[in-house]
Amino acid sequence: QVQLVESGGGLVQPGGSLRLSCAASGSISSIVAMGWYRQAPGEQRDLVANIAQGGSTNYADSVKGRFTISRDNSKNTVYLQMNSLKPEDTARYYCNVRRIRAGLTSTYWGQGTQVTVSS
């Protein structure tokens, strides 16, 4: 099992910044990717950004140029730096981890952290 602890969410004004963190613990060997998803009420959970073990990244079009994902493999932690926040960024943000062992792929989710962008 992999446990994920997210932090950094909160209330911020439009144009402001937040930095989300997600620390993985437990059976953390063979983690191949970590990422962030978000879900607003009444909407599906969508990919925000992800990063592979080797450092390659992928971003949703809506956040390109504003958000940056990074990873510290030695700490098993993934970060999401969010700048120029907009009201439409308001959502619950979930950390995701993918692990491969013995040819089997497992995915794990954090409990989520709320991000609210409002004046």
Side-chain angles (χ1 to χ4, degrees), residues 12-18 66 82-87 89 117-119:
V12 65
Q13 296 183 10
S17 298
L18 287 173
R66 300 188 297 120
M82 305 185 293
N83 298 325
S84 302
L85 283 162
K86 305 174 181 179
D89 294 318
V117 184
S118 176
S119 58

Side-chain angles (χ1 to χ4, degrees), residues 11-105:
L11 175 65
V12 65
Q13 296 183 10
S17 298
L18 287 173
R19 190 192 191 207
L20 306 183
S21 299
C22 174
S25 61
S27 300
I28 58 177
S29 63
S30 301
I31 291 177
V32 297
M34 303 181 75
W36 292 94
Y37 291 69
R38 67 186 182 187
Q39 185 172 26
E43 300 181 8
Q44 66 179 7
R45 187 175 298 183
D46 292 327
L47 172 71
V48 178
N50 61 19
I51 184 168
Q53 190 77 10
S56 61
T57 58
N58 186 47
Y59 295 91
D61 289 340
S62 59
V63 306
K64 287 181 179 178
R66 300 188 297 120
F67 292 7
T68 302
I69 190 170
S70 61
R71 179 175 180 174
D72 187 338
N73 289 332
S74 67
K75 298 180 179 179
N76 299 115
T77 300
V78 64
Y79 307 93
L80 185 68
Q81 179 67 46
M82 305 185 293
N83 298 325
S84 302
L85 283 162
K86 305 174 181 179
E88 51 263 44
D89 294 318
T90 296
R92 192 164 185 86
Y93 286 69
Y94 296 89
C95 181
N96 172 266
V97 165
R98 178 167 293 179
R99 178 173 63 94
I100 299 178
R101 281 187 172 180
L104 299 177
T105 301

